[in-house]
Amino acid sequence: MYCTRNISESVIWVGGCDRRLALFENLFPVPRGVAYNSYLILDEKTALIDTVDSSISRQFLENVLYSLGGRTLDYLVINHMEPDHCANIEELLHRFPALKIVGNAKTHTFIRQFYDTDIQGRTITVQDNDTLCLGQHTLQFCFTPMVHWPEVMMTYEQKERILFSADAFGSFGALNGNIFNDEVDFDRDWLADARRYYGNIVGKYGPQVQTALKKAAEKEIQTICPLHGPIWRSNLGYLLEKYNRWSLYEPEEHTVTFLYGSMYGDTENAVNILATEMAKAGIKNIVAHDMSSTHVSTLIGEVFRCSHLVLASPTYNNGIYPAMLNFLHDMKALNLQNRTIGLVQNGSWAPSSAKQMRALLDEMKNMQILEPVVTIQSSLKESSLEQLFSLKDSLLASLQ
C-alpha cells in the first residue's frame, strides 16, 4: 500500500524508510534506521528525482505508481548514482518504455558500470546550469562534484524554488511520518545524526561543499529536499550555517570532548578527574567517550562539534591503543583540522603513545597540541596528577 506526502500540490515525497538496517554503507551504525527520499513532480511532463535503495523497492514503486495515477513517467533525474539512490533504475526503465534518464556524462558512465541494461537512446545528457521544462515547472541542473561523488549534481525547480540537494543536507535516521524539519525537534532528535552523517559521509570534501554553498546562495531557495532525513521548508539559515561551519572545519561549540582508551580503568580515571576539574571551572557540554565501546563515526561527530579534544591512550604493543589509532586514521582521512588537543599517555614500562599520536596529528592541518603532555605510569600518582592539573590550566587558558 502506498505511503506518500505532498510537499506541494505538484511535488510529492515518494520515498520510504528502512528501520531494519543496522549499518549504513555496512560501516555506520544507524539505530534509528535511515530514510531514502525520492520526489515526483507532476506537470505536463512528469519527473522523478532519484530512486531509493533496493531494500524498500516495493514501497517505492507502489508510491510512484499511485502518485502517477495512471500517467506515464517521462523523466528520471539522477542527481547521485550511489546504489542507495539508484537501485530502481532498471525497474523503472522496464515499466515505462518511453522514460528518459536525465544526468550528466559521469552519471551515464556509472549507470553502465552498475547495470547491464541498454540505455542507448534513453538518456538526456545535461551540462551545468542546463534546464528542462516540464510545463509550469522548470528544472535547472547545478553540478556539485565531490559532494561526495564525482557525478553529483543538484536540481533546482524554479517555479516553487525547491532545491533537490542529493546527499547534501541529509541525516541518518528514519522519518516517522513527520518528514519536515518544522514537524520535529531537530536540535534534540536530529542534530547529532545530521552532524555524524556530514562528518563521516561528506566531511572530507569541505572545499567542494563550500563551492556548492556558493552556488546555492545564487538561488532563491524556499525548500531543500535531501536524499536522506528531513525536508527543510523553514529556518534554512540554520541548516546552511551548520554546513558552512562544518565545511570550514570550524567547531560548533567551544568546549572539550574526552576520547580515551582504557584497559583496566586507570586512563579512564585520569579522564574523569580532568573532566570534573574542567566542569568545576565552568566548562559546559563536556562529553567523554570510551573508544572501545563507542563507534568511530560518533567520535568523528564529536570532533566536528567541539573545539578542544583530549586524547588519552595507553601504550599498546609499543604503539597507540588500536581504537585510538583507528580514530586518528579516520580523522586524517576525513581532512579534519583546526582543533586544539591535549594528550595523555599511559604505559607501565615504556609509555610512548603520545609521541606517536603527535606524529599523526602533525600530518593534519592546524592542530595545536597543548603542553604538558601527561604521562601516567600504570596509575595516576601525585606526580602525574600535577601534570594533569597543568594540562587543565592550558585547556582553560585556550578556551578563554
Side-chain angles (χ1 to χ4, degrees), residues 1-3 14-17 56-64:
M1 177 61 73
Y2 65 89
C3 180
V14 292
C17 297
I56 62 164
S57 290
R58 178 181 172 185
Q59 178 72 76
F60 166 71
L61 292 169
E62 289 177 353
N63 291 346
V64 171

Side-chain angles (χ1 to χ4, degrees), residues 13-17 34-39 49-53 56 60 84-85 166 169-171 173 175 179 224-231:
W13 176 79
V14 292
C17 297
V34 66
Y36 301 111
N37 298 333
S38 175
Y39 308 94
I49 311 296
D50 292 293
T51 79
V52 298
D53 188 77
I56 62 164
F60 166 71
D84 57 333
H85 306 299
F169 308 116
S171 175
L175 298 167
I179 69 170
I224 296 177
C225 292
L227 288 176
H228 300 288
I231 296 160

